[in-house]
């Protein structure tokens, strides 16, 4: 299992969605906006710095759990899939994955 460490920036509602190809209905829910740091690779595949990423993730029925941690650094379980558009690996939050608030080291 992989964990994403990020700051929860926002949670917003989503509308019900019908897939035009299959007719499958995705119920209304929530998305969470999370900010994290991602390494940037240079020409020879070595680390050449880092960039800040702000990404939206579907959390459907868990919107209230993520609203409680807005502005906090959290760890949440994620999965990986191949994005069909970019042909690059992308992350998703599996159904039922709750955020765990990280505490600062003393």
């Amino acid at each position: 299992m992989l964990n994403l460490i990020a700051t929860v920036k926002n949670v917003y509602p989503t509308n019900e969605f019908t897939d035009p190809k299959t007719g499958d209905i995705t119920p209304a829910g929530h998305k969470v906006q999370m900010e994290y740091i991602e390494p940037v690779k240079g020409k020879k595949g070595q680390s050449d710095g880092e960039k800040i990423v702000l990404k939206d993730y579907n959390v459907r029925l868990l919107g209230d759990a993520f609203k409680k941690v807005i502005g906090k650094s959290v760890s949440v379980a994620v999965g990986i899939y191949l994005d069909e558009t970019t042909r690059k690996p992308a992350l998703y939050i599996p159904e039922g994955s709750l955020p765990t608030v990280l505490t600062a080291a003393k």
Side-chain angles (χ1 to χ4, degrees):
M1 180 69 58
L2 298 173
N3 285 306
L4 174 65
I5 295 175
T7 301
V8 177
K9 292 298 198 175
N10 188 27
V11 178
Y12 61 94
T14 60
N15 296 325
E16 182 178 276
F17 173 79
T18 303
D19 187 307
K21 293 180 183 176
T22 65
D24 292 341
I25 297 174
T26 301
H30 289 88
K31 285 193 176 187
V32 61
Q33 289 181 312
M34 300 183 78
E35 181 180 83
Y36 56 92
I37 295 175
E38 184 176 281
V40 176
K41 292 188 179 181
K43 291 182 180 181
K44 297 185 179 181
Q46 296 179 358
S47 179
D48 196 27
E50 55 191 29
K51 65 179 180 177
I52 296 172
V53 176
L54 179 63
K55 182 106 169 94
D56 297 359
Y57 295 95
N58 284 318
V59 292
R60 296 285 165 226
L61 303 177
L62 299 175
D64 289 339
F66 281 88
K67 283 180 183 178
K68 291 178 183 176
V69 295
I70 289 176
K72 296 183 180 175
S73 183
V74 301
S75 174
V76 65
V78 294
I80 299 177
Y81 70 98
L82 183 63
D83 185 307
E84 294 178 8
T85 306
T86 63
R87 305 292 299 159
K88 293 182 179 180
L91 301 175
Y92 69 95
I93 298 176
E95 189 174 330
S97 293
L98 295 170
T100 301
V101 175
L102 301 177
T103 56
K106 292 182 179 181

